[in-house]
Amino acid sequence: MNKPSIAEIMQLDVSERIELVQDIWDSVAAVPEAVPLTDAQRQELERRLTEYHRNPDAGSPWDEVKRRLTRP
C-alpha cells in the first residue's frame, strides 16, 4: 500500500481532506471489534447499557437531539 505523506495530504483542499477523514473513519467503524477499549471505557459502556435497560424511555431519539443542536 502506498501511504500518502502528511505533506501530500495537506496539499488537498479542505473538502478533500474532510472526505478522506470520513473514508478513514468509515473503514474503522466497519470493524468495531478491532478498536481496543480500556477497562474504564468497557465499564462505562456496560453502565450505560444497564441504565438504558432500566429505563429505555429516559433518553431522546437521535433525530430529536440533532434538531435541538442544530436549530438557530
Side-chain angles (χ1 to χ4, degrees):
M1 180 174 155
N2 198 5
K3 181 178 159 185
S5 70
I6 296 295
E8 291 170 322
I9 292 170
M10 294 308 292
Q11 289 177 359
L12 299 172
D13 65 37
V14 172
S15 64
E16 291 172 315
R17 292 195 313 256
I18 290 170
E19 186 177 343
L20 177 60
V21 169
Q22 289 172 328
D23 291 344
I24 292 169
W25 182 252
D26 289 346
S27 73
V28 171
V31 285
E33 66 278 0
V35 178
L37 295 176
T38 65
D39 287 339
Q41 289 168 325
R42 192 175 315 284
Q43 289 172 5
E44 179 62 15
L45 288 172
E46 288 296 326
R47 184 193 69 75
R48 290 179 185 196
L49 185 59
T50 299
E51 188 61 32
Y52 167 74
H53 286 298
R54 274 193 214 139
N55 190 359
D57 296 325
S60 300
W62 169 240
D63 288 341
E64 182 182 319
V65 173
K66 185 176 175 183
R67 192 170 37 255
R68 286 194 314 250
L69 292 172
T70 58
R71 72 176 165 209

